[in-house]
Amino acid sequence: MTDLIDDDYREFVADLKRRVAETRATASRVVNRELILLYWDIGAAIAEKQRISKWGDSVTEQIASDLRDAFPDSTGFSGRNLWNMKRIYSEYGSPDFWQQAVAILSGNSGSYPIWQQSVAKFDTTTQGGSILRQLVAEIPWSHNMLILSKATNPAERLFYLHATVQNGWSRAILLNQIKSGAYERSVTEGKSHNLAEALPEGLAEQTAEMMKSRYNLEFLGIHRAVRERDLENLLIDNLQRFLLELGYGFCFIGRQYRLVLGTKEYFVDLLFYHRFLKVLVAFDLKIGEFEPEHAGKMDFYLNLLNDQQRGPDDGPSIGIILCAEKSDIEVEFALKSKTNPIGVAEYELQTQLPTELEGKLPTAKQLANVVRRVLPIADGTQ
């Protein structure tokens, strides 16, 4: 029997294992979907019965008790869970919810592809509740409860529902995205890239979902000026948290990734592979402001990656220039002539002031002027 264990046999068994794993995953998704649709329907039935028969809230606990008696092996019929079933129906099933969501999305649909998909799918007269019911069923119950508890704005909840389905976020990644303000960034900030021109339409949209306009690197704990290599070292030291900030699907390949052309060597700061897009993603780190020549350098790296490292089934390699500041108009003109897909994003090292405090505290320049007036200058005069 051991004579049969050659490369052909190993490949055959590997294919069987892959098929078993895929079938299990599909079955798990189907079971999850049907269970959550059941939860939605139970919540709808209780809410409607209370409305028609004027039953009080205490009936929910009684229903939970009777369901547990009838299905002792099931763990989803606690009083709290039935409250959540009713809540998810009451909040998502209300026409007010999806009409508010569409009103907000319509005003921001240009900044993020998720908005465009949402607005296109919703019919604000008949289909909103049905679409939300199906959308809620696409992600696990714990994800739904997290969105319901952490997000309050209808458009914000819809954003995280769509993004979780689109990107396959785990609960930990979803929580991280909510805490880092992914929704707020998608509304307030446009994205600087040439994806629509450099990639086929479907791949361009998926890549735009993956790419952010701003990355929150507060976890690095930087409070002083650093060099680009220092920033790279800190990102590697905090690789797990950086991967969470990047989003689901990123696999780390290496730092200072070596590329050779003729007698010269070139090095990509950070190189990743995206499992779902099936593309290499190169990061170039800049501690200062974006400069047009950065785009030319990244374009050159992507040409080398496509020629030397790109797999036969991979899509075009993608570049992300991560810098401290950028001018959108400058980025637009710098990328006009580039055929490779490139995005330019800013990084944030400290949490910005809450909106309600913006303009109410002095700027760094104002503080500096006060200090100059109060403290003695270098020659000792006032």
Side-chain angles (χ1 to χ4, degrees), residues 41-52 86-87 89-90:
D41 291 343
I42 289 175
I46 294 173
E48 289 303 303
K49 190 65 176 175
Q50 282 185 292
R51 183 181 66 83
I52 294 169
K86 190 173 68 169
R87 182 186 176 201
Y89 165 75
S90 298

Side-chain angles (χ1 to χ4, degrees), residues 194-209:
N194 65 344
L195 302 181
E197 296 76 23
L199 294 172
E201 182 178 354
L203 183 57
E205 289 183 1
Q206 289 180 299
T207 305
E209 301 290 357

Side-chain angles (χ1 to χ4, degrees), residues 218-230:
E218 186 180 3
F219 59 83
L220 297 180
I222 297 176
H223 302 290
R224 57 180 175 78
V226 295
R227 298 172 301 173
E228 286 170 3
R229 185 56 61 88
D230 296 329

Side-chain angles (χ1 to χ4, degrees), residues 2-255:
T2 54
D3 294 338
L4 293 176
I5 302 179
D6 54 14
D7 289 343
D8 183 56
Y9 173 83
R10 292 188 183 93
E11 184 177 343
F12 174 74
V13 173
D15 182 62
L16 292 181
K17 291 178 180 178
R18 184 164 51 250
R19 291 168 63 182
V20 170
E22 289 174 355
T23 300
R24 284 181 173 177
T26 300
S28 176
R29 285 194 296 271
V30 170
V31 170
N32 174 78
R33 184 174 182 277
E34 293 302 316
L35 182 63
I36 293 179
L37 289 175
L38 172 64
Y39 284 176
W40 177 289
D41 291 343
I42 289 175
I46 294 173
E48 289 303 303
K49 190 65 176 175
Q50 282 185 292
R51 183 181 66 83
I52 294 169
S53 301
K54 309 299 182 183
W55 288 350
D57 288 339
S58 61
V59 73
T60 303
E61 292 291 343
Q62 183 60 50
I63 295 170
S65 177
D66 290 338
L67 287 176
R68 286 197 303 272
D69 290 342
F71 305 101
D73 295 331
S74 298
T75 58
F77 297 131
S78 66
R80 180 179 179 183
N81 220 30
L82 258 68
W83 278 102
N84 285 329
M85 293 175 202
K86 190 173 68 169
R87 182 186 176 201
I88 206 166
Y89 165 75
S90 298
E91 299 207 21
Y92 288 154
S94 166
D96 289 342
F97 174 89
W98 41 267
Q99 287 171 358
Q100 289 177 42
V102 170
I104 297 172
L105 299 181
S106 299
N108 296 285
S109 60
S111 62
Y112 211 83
I114 283 178
W115 299 142
Q116 298 166 355
Q117 296 167 14
S118 300
V119 174
K121 286 181 179 179
F122 273 70
D123 178 335
T124 56
T125 58
T126 59
Q127 297 298 318
S130 175
I131 292 173
L132 271 166
R133 179 176 180 270
Q134 298 298 321
L135 187 60
V136 164
E138 293 298 322
I139 64 176
W141 186 245
S142 63
H143 289 55
N144 277 299
M145 291 300 98
L146 182 62
I147 293 171
L148 207 59
S149 64
K150 297 292 185 181
T152 56
N153 181 309
E156 182 183 5
R157 286 177 175 172
L158 185 56
F159 171 87
Y160 287 118
L161 286 169
H162 260 304
T164 302
V165 172
Q166 184 80 22
N167 301 311
W169 287 341
S170 68
R171 192 179 186 281
I173 291 177
L174 171 59
L175 177 59
N176 184 75
Q177 294 294 328
I178 293 173
K179 291 177 69 175
S180 66
Y183 163 74
E184 289 82 2
R185 295 200 301 261
S186 76
V187 171
T188 59
E189 300 171 0
K191 294 193 176 183
S192 302
H193 55 63
N194 65 344
L195 302 181
E197 296 76 23
L199 294 172
E201 182 178 354
L203 183 57
E205 289 183 1
Q206 289 180 299
T207 305
E209 301 290 357
M210 170 272 289
M211 191 181 297
K212 299 179 180 179
S213 60
R214 182 182 296 269
Y215 290 85
N216 186 346
L217 306 185
E218 186 180 3
F219 59 83
L220 297 180
I222 297 176
H223 302 290
R224 57 180 175 78
V226 295
R227 298 172 301 173
E228 286 170 3
R229 185 56 61 88
D230 296 329
L231 179 60
E232 179 185 318
N233 289 337
L234 287 168
L235 288 173
I236 295 300
D237 291 342
N238 294 270
L239 185 58
Q240 184 177 10
R241 298 183 73 173
F242 185 43
L243 286 169
L244 282 173
E245 175 62 15
L246 292 180
Y248 192 54
F250 278 89
C251 302
F252 180 62
I253 294 178
R255 62 183 296 189

Side-chain angles (χ1 to χ4, degrees), residues 371-382:
V371 170
R372 290 192 189 98
R373 289 197 301 268
V374 173
L375 295 181
I377 58 177
D379 63 2
T381 62
Q382 296 296 316

